[in-house]
Amino acid sequence: MKSSFLKRLLSPKTIAVIGGRFAEAVIKQCDLIGFEGEIFPVNPKRNEMAGRSCFASVSDLPQPPDASFIAVDREGTVGAVAELAALGAGGAVCYASGFAEVGEAGQRWQERLLEAANGMPLVGPNCYGMLNYLDRVALWPDEHGGKAVNKGAAIVLQSGNIGLNLTMQGRGLPLAYLISVGNGADLQMHDYIEAFLEDERITCIGLHIEGLRDIPAFTSAALKALKQGVPIVALKTGTSDEGQKITFGHTSSLAGSDELYSAMFARYGVARVRTLTEFLETLKLLSTVGPLSNRKIASISCSGGEAAHVADLASELGLTFPPLNSAQEQALFKALGDKVALSNPLDYHTYIWNDEAAQERCFTAMLTGEQAVTLNILDYPRPELCDVSAWDKTTRAFINALKTAGSQGVIVSTLPENLPEQTRNWLISEGVAPMQGLEDCLLSICHAAQLFDRQQVAGKLEPLTTPPLSLGKDKMPNELESKKLLKEFGLNIPEARVISLADIDDARKACDALGYPLALKILSEDIVHKTDVGGVHLKLETFDAVAEAMQTMKNLGDTFLAERMLEKPITELLLGVTRDEQFGLSITLGAGGVLVELLKDSQTLLLPLTEPDVEKAIKALKIYPLLNGFRGGAKVRLEPITQAVMSLAKFADDYADTLLELDINPLFVFEDEVIVADAVIRTVVP
């Protein structure tokens, strides 16, 4: 863990800038933001830089700098890093490009850079740098839109330009840090999280992630943040199947790397967002309001159209509006009279518009319900063109009502641009989130509720591990061998016999003993998708039909699996295990049979598992209504499905060093039991 070494770099008292034009720009930005420490310019060709005398080399510096900004070419960067490390500097931002991002030759330069650092922390290379608005530090060679704050969100990005754009945000989100990491050759996301958790001024952490190199370390840091109550919001871009080295079954097509990232974020309470606006709004809500204990909301507006709009959007996201209680109705009737229909969402019309006292009474009444948060929908007119004093009265009435009721609330504009900067700053100073954009606001509320849920189980969570895979060659047991392995872990399998064309008499006896009708399958370690090659025959009512089916399939082999035909299930599921280089083993649960490709309805579960994790995943499936008595159908007990998944998790744990992939498709689901209808396992053997 490098967090104990990062304080000098992230909150420096002394700074060295190495280079020419870009180094000078850093000095100017530090001066503009009000950096109070010492700055040492290093340039052998200049005597002066931004009003300060230059040093000819790093070795001439009067003391080891806490932080350095290196703005020379890649060869010069490697040399400067080596000199700084030898001097005992705190760390460096490496601005230059031409490292791993340009291919193999650049990768070798990046390796030299790390060798030169000799453990000294590095930001970059190929990055814009760092802005610390808490301590007025700008290791940043360009304009930016932030200003000094006392507390706020810390954002780490793998894109410098996105970072630059975010500093210009007009969202009222106080920024504590903004760090562009570029290649991230040294410091990783988990290093920054660990460091931020030691600074009480940081209210939440935002991450723009293209990829993570150390999943266990990230989950360890994320879990620490979850337990400490510091929210993390992640914008994950780019998807890749590089980790899917072995893909033979349906499970692999469903359990891609992006699904694994989503599963990881969900487990450790990291709010995964899809857009930059959702990113900012979620950070703003979590840093101001924090986690929400339920998904119940209330809404206040002076427009029926807005009330209907918020109701529609919230319903799509699974947010609910608790009905008004009798005390609320009485207080609202007293404030609004008999011309307003009382409900949640509430359209209070314009009868009390511009009446601050009446609005405060109305808002206070609404705030006393069972909702976790209340939205006051308020779009301001343009201040430079209009008189906004009436809107300010509404804002002030809501702020005072929140204080009286002791409740959580936000003011949200339906259009992001309709909440002026002055109003945003006012609300932030009062501890009220100024939310911009109704849909992003509602999405952020969902994230806040999910965060609360994960905080309740944080003490039971452990960081992920990635068990190493033993060396050996691939082996795929045949279907019967695979099923027998699963039976050892408590999974139900059909009664079966192995038969062959070589001994028809024994085949007849075996089939007669099983009873008809039968299913007949080719038994082979080399054929995975038997149906695709004509290797499955169903509903065979006599042995003559069995013999005819064997003749039909003899081009595929001469050994067959005869099974007693199962009754038609209520539905079919898929259960599978995949191995990913970064995430280790994970389980996929989804719609099975022919529905795999049609619906692509699945949930990814990371190991280890708990039964509540499994039950939640089952209920999240699109086909869950089929299990829950859809349209008068039979209702399935979830316990057998849950236990089947837990048994599979135990199997994966016991074979963690040899299991490559496992595919159960379909898993037949009946009212009170589940049966493995087909299974394929791939392992490694010495």
Side-chain angles (χ1 to χ4, degrees):
M1 186 177 69
K2 297 182 178 181
S3 59
S4 58
F5 299 100
L6 285 181
K7 189 172 183 179
R8 286 179 67 195
L9 172 61
L10 298 180
S11 305
K13 300 294 189 294
T14 56
I15 295 172
V17 293
I18 304 165
R21 176 167 59 96
F22 294 112
E24 186 170 28
V26 168
I27 298 176
K28 292 178 179 179
Q29 292 300 329
C30 281
D31 287 341
L32 284 171
I33 204 172
F35 178 66
E36 297 179 349
E38 291 189 82
I39 300 177
F40 309 130
V42 178
N43 189 312
K45 298 179 181 179
R46 295 178 59 170
N47 295 322
E48 177 270 341
M49 189 180 292
R52 293 169 175 81
S53 297
C54 287
F55 294 89
S57 68
V58 170
S59 60
D60 293 331
L61 293 176
Q63 63 187 86
D66 294 322
S68 301
F69 189 92
I70 305 172
V72 296
D73 63 20
R74 65 183 180 185
E75 185 174 359
T77 297
V78 172
V81 164
E83 290 183 279
L84 287 166
L87 196 64
V93 173
C94 301
Y95 179 67
S97 59
F99 289 89
E101 79 279 3
V102 299
E104 188 175 338
Q107 178 61 43
R108 288 195 293 270
W109 275 104
Q110 191 154 300
E111 291 167 0
R112 293 173 194 164
L113 180 69
L114 291 173
E115 290 174 7
N118 194 28
M120 182 183 72
L122 298 178
V123 180
N126 184 34
C127 73
Y128 243 53
M130 178 190 77
L131 293 161
N132 173 351
Y133 294 114
L134 297 169
D135 302 309
R136 300 173 184 265
V137 179
L139 299 180
W140 191 267
D142 201 351
E143 301 290 343
H144 60 92
K147 59 184 180 181
V149 296
N150 294 320
K151 63 179 181 178
I155 298 179
V156 184
L157 308 102
Q158 289 184 288
S159 168
N161 200 54
I162 291 178
L164 178 61
N165 295 340
L166 289 183
T167 71
M168 307 294 177
Q169 52 94 18
R171 298 274 172 164
L173 174 67
L175 289 179
Y177 279 92
L178 191 138
I179 303 175
S180 160
V181 302
N183 292 5
D186 178 35
L187 296 173
Q188 303 297 303
M189 290 293 179
H190 61 268
D191 294 314
Y192 294 107
I193 294 171
E194 295 272 7
F196 293 150
L197 292 178
E198 295 182 4
D199 192 333
E200 295 181 352
R201 300 170 296 176
I202 292 174
T203 57
C204 56
I205 299 169
L207 307 174
H208 162 243
I209 300 170
E210 293 173 358
L212 297 171
R213 292 205 295 268
D214 191 338
I215 295 295
F218 179 85
T219 59
S220 178
L223 180 55
K224 185 176 179 181
L226 185 66
K227 292 178 177 180
Q228 197 167 311
V230 179
I232 299 177
V233 180
L235 175 64
K236 170 70 174 67
T237 59
T239 60
S240 170
D241 291 330
E242 289 184 5
Q244 300 294 111
K245 297 300 182 183
I246 300 166
T247 56
F248 74 93
H250 293 293
T251 304
S252 295
S253 67
L254 296 173
S257 62
D258 197 56
E259 286 75 15
L260 292 169
Y261 270 103
S262 290
M264 176 187 67
F265 292 145
R267 170 169 287 193
Y268 296 99
V270 177
R272 182 174 188 178
V273 298
R274 301 291 175 176
T275 66
L276 284 170
T277 56
E278 186 187 350
F279 181 70
L280 290 170
E281 293 304 300
T282 303
L283 284 169
K284 187 164 47 178
L285 183 81
L286 291 176
S287 64
T288 308
V289 174
L292 296 173
S293 60
N294 59 58
R295 298 174 70 89
K296 299 176 183 179
I297 64 173
S299 172
I300 311 168
S301 65
C302 63
S303 162
E306 290 171 345
H309 187 40
V310 71
D312 290 344
L313 291 175
S315 176
E316 292 173 3
L317 296 172
L319 299 171
T320 60
F321 295 87
L324 302 174
N325 59 46
S326 58
Q328 285 179 292
E329 289 179 341
Q330 292 174 14
L332 286 169
F333 183 83
K334 187 175 181 180
L336 299 173
D338 60 359
K339 295 182 180 180
V340 175
L342 303 181
S343 64
N344 179 26
L346 176 68
D347 165 21
Y348 63 86
H349 296 257
T350 55
Y351 300 116
I352 59 172
W353 185 252
N354 210 22
D355 184 340
E356 186 175 331
Q359 284 186 322
E360 184 175 336
R361 291 194 297 272
C362 170
F363 298 160
T364 301
M366 279 299 289
L367 287 164
T368 58
E370 60 184 87
Q371 69 270 15
V373 66
T374 301
L375 285 66
N376 192 331
I377 302 175
L378 188 65
D379 283 63
Y380 267 68
R382 293 175 62 176
E384 72 275 17
L385 299 177
C386 308
D387 179 5
V388 300
S389 58
W391 283 261
D392 284 344
K393 287 181 180 179
T394 302
T395 297
R396 187 162 41 248
F398 190 63
I399 291 171
N400 291 334
L402 285 169
K403 293 176 181 177
T404 300
S407 302
Q408 296 279 22
V410 304
I411 284 183
V412 54
S413 59
T414 60
L415 297 177
E417 60 269 26
N418 288 353
L419 204 56
E421 182 178 7
Q422 181 177 348
T423 305
R424 296 196 305 266
N425 293 340
W426 176 19
L427 289 168
I428 287 289
S429 70
E430 294 287 352
V432 180
M435 303 301 289
Q436 292 163 266
L438 192 52
E439 186 170 17
D440 283 334
C441 175
L442 294 171
L443 286 168
S444 69
I445 289 170
C446 293
H447 293 310
Q450 289 163 359
L451 174 59
F452 179 87
D453 289 344
R454 298 318 292 169
Q455 286 178 337
Q456 307 317 299
V457 298
K460 300 177 182 178
L461 298 176
E462 295 292 338
L464 290 183
T465 60
T466 52
L469 183 65
S470 299
L471 297 177
K473 60 181 180 179
D474 289 9
K475 177 178 174 57
M476 189 174 72
N478 64 39
E479 181 180 342
L480 183 59
E481 291 169 337
S482 296
K483 286 179 174 177
K484 285 182 176 179
L485 278 173
L486 295 173
K487 184 179 181 181
E488 292 176 10
F489 286 81
L491 287 145
N492 296 325
I493 65 172
E495 188 177 356
R497 299 287 190 276
V498 177
I499 63 176
S500 74
L501 282 168
D503 195 332
I504 290 295
D505 289 338
D506 280 355
R508 183 186 297 274
K509 292 176 183 177
C511 292
D512 290 346
L514 283 172
Y516 300 94
L518 293 175
L520 189 70
K521 308 175 188 178
I522 185 68
L523 195 61
S524 170
E525 296 182 358
D526 301 317
I527 300 175
V528 177
H529 301 298
K530 296 181 284 292
T531 304
D532 296 346
V533 296
V536 179
H537 288 251
L538 304 176
K539 298 180 181 178
L540 303 176
E541 299 286 352
T542 65
F543 181 72
D544 288 343
V546 172
E548 182 179 347
M550 286 195 288
Q551 287 292 336
T552 302
M553 293 187 284
K554 68 180 181 180
N555 62 308
L556 302 175
D558 63 357
T559 305
F560 305 91
L561 181 66
E563 291 182 333
R564 182 69 183 268
M565 279 290 298
L566 297 171
E567 295 179 7
K568 184 179 179 180
I570 293 171
T571 191
E572 298 177 3
L573 293 177
L574 172 145
L575 277 181
V577 181
T578 54
R579 178 182 291 273
D580 182 272
E581 286 184 354
Q582 288 187 297
F583 289 87
L585 295 171
S586 64
I587 288 181
T588 298
L589 166 68
V594 297
L595 297 179
V596 173
E597 289 84 3
L598 182 64
L599 295 182
K600 295 191 180 297
D601 175 23
S602 66
Q603 296 289 312
T604 300
L605 296 160
L606 301 177
L607 300 174
L609 279 179
T610 65
E611 290 188 12
D613 292 333
V614 180
E615 292 168 4
K616 184 177 180 181
I618 295 170
K619 293 178 180 179
L621 293 172
K622 297 173 189 174
I623 63 165
Y624 173 67
L626 292 176
L627 304 172
N628 199 37
F630 182 68
R631 290 194 173 183
K635 188 172 183 179
V636 171
R637 278 201 315 123
L638 297 187
E639 184 181 357
I641 302 175
T642 301
Q643 292 307 314
V645 178
M646 295 302 295
S647 295
L648 197 61
K650 178 65 167 60
F651 181 91
D653 184 57
D654 282 12
Y655 288 90
D657 59 339
T658 59
L659 180 60
L660 290 171
E661 191 169 3
L662 184 153
D663 212 43
I664 298 174
N665 184 36
L667 179 76
F668 276 19
V669 179
F670 301 97
E671 285 188 57
D672 293 304
E673 67 173 343
V674 295
I675 300 177
V676 177
D678 196 3
V680 183
I681 299 173
R682 187 182 294 260
T683 64
V684 295
V685 295

